[in-house]
Amino acid sequence: MGKITGFMEFERQEESYEPPVARLKHWKEFVHELPDDKAKIQAGRCMDCGIPFCNSGCPVNNIIPDFNDLVWQGDWRNALDTLHSTNNFPEFTGRICPAPCEAACTLGINEAPVGIKSIEHAIIDKGWEMGWVVPQPPAHKTGKRVAVVGSGPAGLAAAQQLARAGHDVTVFEKNDRIGGLLRYGIPDFKMEKHHIDRRIAQMQAEGVRFAPGVLVGEMPKDGTGATVANWSKERRSPEQLLAEFDAVLLAGGAEHPRDLPVPGRELDGIHFAMEFLPQQNKVNAGDKLKGQIVATGKHVVVIGGGDTGSDCVGTSNRHGAASVTQFELLPQPPEQENKPLVWPYWPIKLRTSSSHEEGCERDWSVATKAFVAGTGKDKNKVKSITACRVEWKDGRMQEVPGSEFTLQADLVLLAMGFVHPLAPVLDAFGVERDARGNAKAGTEDDGGYATNVPKVFAAGDMRRGQSLVVWAIREGRQAARAIDAFLMGHSELPR
């Protein structure tokens, strides 16, 4: 697709970034999408490879060669329709997806891969600009009612598909605004929240009802409720939903964080990442918070080397932290992957995010041994960390003798991932859990996302655990098809 010889003639076209010194002064997005001419050149690099591994590398199975070819031809409207045929929300994935499709690009074997993510970004932004993204209400209503619990990407994708199939859909969200972890887990500098708001408006015009500030089930009693931006006061019981609706989809996030139970963990100034990040998003939205956790003037240590840790780095730098250090327990990965060994699969390699480029000391193979308090009036506050170097032998971690060190730390952010969904939601419905604590349910090929409880389905992080936005959208779409078939005996929704 694209120009037959384009992959030999054109260089990869990169999106440009606002300089760090400028973007650290605000909370807006700073990535500049490709202009039309550069997007066309980028799309022209798609090499008509015969077997488009990018399609399978993309969890939502975007029809990538087709929309590349349409962009090359200048047919942006059909490119948008092709993109929307598999992905409900390309403006989300075009901003925050790590782009496994590019890792699977055939051109990427020995050249820079096609910039698929940047093309997707350009297509959907042009679609909104041109007014091509409009509500698609159903021609007929089925009279069936579906409750979706959770308004992240899985819940929103399922709700939109089900509404377009003619069902009456209500989305319940425990936080005060719709969007789930898209709203309160992604910093605004990576994705501004007006992108969510206009999708909500589109879905409302399609018939979806939204009920923010409603908690289905019970509040956690083990302290993990602190990882949620804002617990509501209104409750709805599973019994109420099962009586009122013909089907229920559980599509919440994997919000139970991995903790670090070492001496001093109880000290003030040690917080989960999802205590820290949502507060800034709420402030950016105009909320007034008492006691906001801020990094201003502090020596910040972020424990965990993934995307959530990177988000903590970017947020801390925008607060004006005195220093930011990020620890990772695992060894530093190689700067370049062994492509003949790993292609077309997602490679393990060193990834430097835009937040890292804004200022951060990164260290690998570091284990935290203790949090240390200050003295006097700071006797209950963390003031330093005791850590050590580790090495990995036969898959086991061992402390390097004599490697212990101390690092100043006024604010510690735990960003070590999430182990499973909040248990009270699943327990309230009586849903069986798998060995990892997720809702036990199959996929479209082995159970159709149904749980052990009649009428109750599960998808996204609720079913598979912590994952990517693209996997959430895929599972939301597939669960919608399964629910539609359950209600109607068959489904014409796409897979």
Side-chain angles (χ1 to χ4, degrees), residues 331-338 342 347-351 364:
Q332 180 176 341
E335 293 191 11
Q336 293 294 329
E337 72 271 31
N338 185 339
V342 300
I348 295 176
K349 67 176 183 179
L350 180 64
R351 303 179 192 278
W364 288 265

Side-chain angles (χ1 to χ4, degrees), residues 183-217:
R183 174 77 65 178
Y184 286 129
I186 305 294
D188 286 16
F189 58 80
K190 290 176 69 173
M191 190 186 80
E192 293 177 40
K193 302 308 178 267
H194 66 84
H195 300 296
I196 304 173
D197 296 335
R198 63 187 179 187
R199 281 295 182 182
I200 293 170
Q202 180 198 32
M203 292 172 65
Q204 286 175 324
E206 294 172 347
V208 178
R209 298 180 181 88
F210 292 98
V214 179
L215 176 65
V216 176

Side-chain angles (χ1 to χ4, degrees), residues 196-473:
I196 304 173
D197 296 335
R198 63 187 179 187
R199 281 295 182 182
I200 293 170
Q202 180 198 32
M203 292 172 65
Q204 286 175 324
E206 294 172 347
V208 178
R209 298 180 181 88
F210 292 98
V214 179
L215 176 65
V216 176
E218 297 296 329
M219 186 184 301
K221 297 180 175 61
D222 57 2
T224 57
T227 66
V228 183
N230 177 47
W231 285 105
S232 66
K233 295 182 179 179
E234 185 177 348
R235 301 281 192 270
R236 294 293 294 275
S237 70
E239 292 77 15
Q240 288 175 310
L241 263 61
L242 290 170
E244 187 177 344
F245 294 91
D246 299 292
V248 176
L249 174 64
L250 303 180
E255 296 176 278
H256 191 115
R258 184 173 284 108
D259 207 344
L260 186 58
V262 299
R265 173 62 181 88
E266 74 285 352
L267 294 173
D268 293 340
I270 304 170
H271 303 276
F272 290 119
M274 288 303 294
E275 295 176 81
F276 175 66
L277 295 174
Q279 289 189 349
Q280 186 59 53
N281 286 7
K282 290 174 73 66
V283 169
N284 292 346
D287 292 354
K288 303 295 183 181
L289 298 186
K290 293 182 179 180
Q292 181 188 358
I293 304 165
V294 294
T296 309
K298 297 178 181 178
H299 296 280
V300 180
V301 176
V302 179
I303 300 178
D307 287 341
T308 303
S310 172
D311 293 344
C312 289
V313 170
T315 301
S316 296
N317 279 324
R318 281 164 177 75
H319 282 174
S323 68
V324 182
T325 303
Q326 186 177 23
F327 287 163
E328 170 58 59
L329 187 64
L330 297 173
Q332 180 176 341
E335 293 191 11
Q336 293 294 329
E337 72 271 31
N338 185 339
K339 288 185 178 180
L341 179 66
V342 300
W343 180 88
Y345 301 107
W346 184 249
I348 295 176
K349 67 176 183 179
L350 180 64
R351 303 179 192 278
T352 299
S353 72
S354 58
S355 291
H356 294 140
E357 293 170 349
E358 294 163 1
C360 175
E361 292 294 326
R362 305 168 71 186
D363 206 349
W364 288 265
S365 298
V366 174
T368 302
K369 299 184 71 174
F371 301 113
V372 182
T375 58
K377 63 181 178 62
D378 293 331
K379 65 180 181 179
N380 294 320
K381 299 180 181 179
V382 66
K383 285 298 175 182
S384 65
I385 287 180
T386 301
C388 67
R389 303 287 172 186
V390 296
E391 58 184 2
W392 295 81
K393 292 183 179 180
D394 299 324
R396 294 187 176 185
M397 184 183 73
Q398 299 178 356
E399 181 177 345
V400 176
S403 66
E404 187 173 296
F405 65 95
T406 299
L407 182 69
Q408 184 176 358
D410 306 304
L411 175 62
V412 178
L413 301 172
L414 305 180
M416 301 174 294
F418 303 88
V419 291
H420 52 68
L422 297 176
V425 178
L426 299 178
D427 292 345
F429 278 92
V431 171
E432 291 181 2
R433 288 184 269 164
D434 63 18
R436 297 184 300 151
N438 304 317
K440 188 175 182 180
T443 60
E444 63 174 351
D445 297 322
D446 59 348
Y449 294 90
T451 70
N452 62 296
V453 180
K455 302 195 329 183
V456 177
F457 298 76
D461 287 7
M462 184 71 75
R463 190 200 70 84
R464 66 182 294 117
Q466 177 187 355
S467 192
L468 304 176
V469 63
V470 277
W471 275 110
I473 293 173

Side-chain angles (χ1 to χ4, degrees), residues 33 36 122 124-133 198:
E33 70 181 55
D36 290 4
I124 185 58
D125 279 14
K126 180 174 283 294
W128 282 108
E129 177 188 347
M130 299 300 293
W132 296 335
V133 184
R198 63 187 179 187

